[in-house]
Amino acid sequence: MTAPAPRPHSHPFTPYNPPRLPAAEGLRRGRELFEHLDGRRSVRFFSSDPVPREAVELAVRTANTAPSGAHQQPWTFVAVQDPDLRHRIRLAAEAEERAFYERADIPQWHGALSRLETDANKEFLDVVPWIVVAFAQKYRVTSSGRQKHYYVNESVGIACGMFITALHTMGLATLTHTPNPMGFLTSILDRPSSERPYILFPVGYPAADCEVPELTRKPLDEALLWR
């Protein structure tokens, strides 16, 4: 068989030939991954036990493999270990959370959260050994000026999902904490105006007495349609 003629490219390309798995092996790996991730839960009760810096680094390295619009990778992850800085974040987050829970015009939102028994207290931000904040880059400043980024929300969302998966794979727990508004993180963490806080992740091991709400996931026939 004659090899296909090389395609002309104006930018460097490299061959991509991952090994093709037999269907049975691919399905086995898929089932194993599902079972692994089906055990993941968001956690609000953490241990103060230390987490290796390398674990955070590996989780961000994993997130950094995510696909993104035009391969612009419009994210920055800021890892915070300093206790004083984590306490400042907690105080600012709780101020925003108190304002949220005191609002009278969003009863449905409050009702949706009621079964999770959440409140304005975010003590876990002082307990966890790490807080990692994902920032979304609206644009990048280069020597030639401002470079707009495309599909920022989608790209950063995928990266954050892969970050969560990496943490779970290493036996760590987290929570997608999104106090609204989150502008205080921009100032506390000294980030530029080109970035906006996307998700705050407390990162640590679950507490020995950790509990999570008894929830069920959406059944497959609601999540998947065949046509």
Side-chain angles (χ1 to χ4, degrees):
M1 182 180 294
T2 304
R7 301 182 183 92
H9 295 295
S10 56
H11 294 85
F13 272 61
T14 188
Y16 178 64
N17 295 298
R20 182 165 180 173
L21 295 175
E25 173 62 11
L27 288 171
R28 185 195 67 79
R29 293 189 188 189
R31 294 188 195 101
E32 189 175 83
L33 178 62
F34 163 70
E35 290 169 3
H36 169 63
L37 292 180
D38 195 39
R40 185 207 57 80
R41 294 298 301 271
S42 294
V43 163
R44 292 176 175 81
F45 302 98
F46 289 89
S47 166
S48 60
D49 291 347
V51 168
R53 179 186 178 112
E54 187 181 3
V56 177
E57 181 178 296
L58 283 169
V60 175
R61 283 182 181 273
T62 302
N64 218 34
T65 69
S68 59
H71 191 61
Q72 292 176 318
Q73 300 182 281
W75 49 72
T76 304
F77 289 82
V78 180
V80 182
Q81 188 178 34
D82 179 75
D84 293 334
L85 204 53
R86 286 190 286 111
H87 188 62
R88 285 179 60 195
I89 291 173
R90 175 191 174 180
L91 295 179
E94 287 183 335
E96 297 296 350
E97 291 288 279
R98 281 193 297 272
F100 166 77
Y101 282 101
E102 290 169 2
R103 285 181 59 180
D105 61 331
I106 50 173
Q108 288 186 324
W109 195 348
H110 291 160
L113 291 172
S114 62
R115 62 178 176 165
L116 304 180
E117 297 187 3
T118 60
D119 57 29
N121 177 32
K122 306 303 173 189
E123 179 183 4
F124 55 78
L125 295 178
D126 274 332
V127 175
V128 288
W130 294 95
I131 292 173
V132 179
V133 182
F135 285 84
Q137 299 172 359
K138 297 175 284 187
Y139 57 87
R140 177 177 296 151
V141 178
T142 67
S143 57
S144 57
R146 204 182 265 195
Q147 178 187 12
K148 177 179 170 59
H149 285 165
Y150 301 96
Y151 299 103
V152 173
N153 284 338
E154 295 85 349
S155 301
V156 181
I158 295 170
C160 285
M162 295 177 71
F163 177 78
I164 293 168
T165 299
L167 292 178
H168 180 66
T169 299
M170 291 184 283
L172 296 165
T174 191
L175 171 72
T176 51
H177 184 40
T178 53
N180 186 23
M182 290 196 288
F184 63 88
L185 291 168
T186 301
S187 56
I188 290 177
L189 298 178
D190 194 27
R191 300 310 304 156
S193 59
S194 58
E195 297 181 356
R196 61 177 177 79
Y198 191 83
I199 296 177
L200 186 163
F201 295 102
V203 175
Y205 295 103
D209 60 350
C210 178
E211 294 181 323
V212 295
E214 289 191 10
L215 303 175
T216 57
R217 304 190 193 279
K218 179 187 290 188
L220 188 62
D221 60 4
E222 292 183 19
L224 172 65
L225 301 178
W226 301 96
R227 292 289 185 266

